Amino acid sequence: MLRILVVGVALVALVVFSAVLARLTLTPSPASAEIAGANLRPGRSLRQYLEDYTFLAACKQIGGNLLLGAPFGLLLPVLVPRRMRVVRVVLLTAVVMVLVELAQGAVVEGRAFDVDDVILNTGGALIAYLLVGRRIGRRFRALEPVSGPSVKPVKPVKPVKPAKGKSTG
C-alpha cells in the first residue's frame, strides 16, 4: 500500500514539475526575438554566458538550467526499474529536454534550441540522482516485497536421547 502511495506521489510531482517546466521554457519572450538563435555547438552558450554576462547572470543561467533538470534525478528513481537506473534517468531526461528545446525552437517566439541547455539540464538530473535520487530509489525498493520461492520455516528437531542403561555402539 505504501509503495502505491509513493508511486502516486512521484507521478503527481512529475506532472506538477512538467507544468512548471512548460511554463518556464515554453513562454514566449518577444524581447529576445531579435537575438535568439539556435545553438548546436556544445559549449558555445556556456562561453557566451561567461564572456558576455555578469558573474551573477551567468550563475543564474547555468544554475537555473542545472536546477531545471534536478527533479528528474529525484523522481525518476521511483518510477524506473532498478536495472541500469542511472542510465535510464540520464537518457529519459535528455530525451525530454531535447523535446522541450525543439518545441522552443519551432513554436515559441524569442526562444531557440540550445544544446547547452540540454547538457546542463541532463547534468542537473545526474547530479541530483547521485546526491539524493539514488538513496530515494534504494529506500523505495526496500518497500518491495521479496520475490522468489517461498520457504517454509523449518521446525526444530528434538535431539534423540539414548535409552537408559543401553549402550550405544
Side-chain angles (χ1 to χ4, degrees):
M1 181 65 180
L2 182 59
R3 185 172 172 5
I4 294 170
L5 179 64
V6 171
V7 170
V9 168
L11 283 172
V12 168
L14 200 56
V15 168
V16 169
F17 168 67
S18 297
V20 170
L21 178 66
R23 175 84 170 122
L24 291 173
T25 60
L26 301 177
T27 303
S29 179
S32 302
E34 296 294 321
I35 59 172
N39 172 31
L40 301 176
R41 288 191 343 215
R44 187 170 136 204
S45 292
L46 294 174
R47 276 190 298 282
Q48 182 183 2
Y49 301 152
L50 298 175
E51 292 171 1
D52 298 342
Y53 286 43
T54 65
F55 177 75
L56 187 59
C59 288
K60 184 179 174 183
Q61 190 68 28
I62 293 168
N65 276 309
L66 287 169
L67 284 174
L68 206 56
F72 286 105
L74 302 175
L75 298 171
L76 289 177
V78 172
L79 302 173
V80 298
R82 172 183 271 166
R83 195 162 159 235
M84 297 185 351
R85 186 178 296 138
V86 69
V87 173
R88 290 173 195 239
V89 166
V90 168
L91 289 177
L92 284 170
T93 303
V95 166
V96 169
M97 292 309 178
V98 164
L99 292 173
V100 167
E101 289 294 321
L102 286 171
Q104 280 184 333
V107 297
V108 182
E109 179 188 8
R111 303 267 188 172
F113 182 91
D114 190 341
V115 70
D116 288 334
D117 287 353
V118 174
I119 293 168
L120 288 170
N121 297 149
T122 305
L126 179 60
I127 291 167
Y129 174 80
L130 293 174
L131 293 177
V132 181
R134 185 174 15 179
R135 280 183 248 150
I136 290 171
R138 284 183 186 150
R139 290 213 173 127
F140 176 70
R141 296 297 169 214
L143 299 174
E144 290 180 343
V146 178
S147 60
S150 60
V151 178
K152 293 181 181 177
V154 177
K155 293 182 183 178
V157 178
K158 293 182 182 179
V160 179
K161 293 182 184 177
K164 290 184 183 180
K166 294 186 180 177
S167 67
T168 55

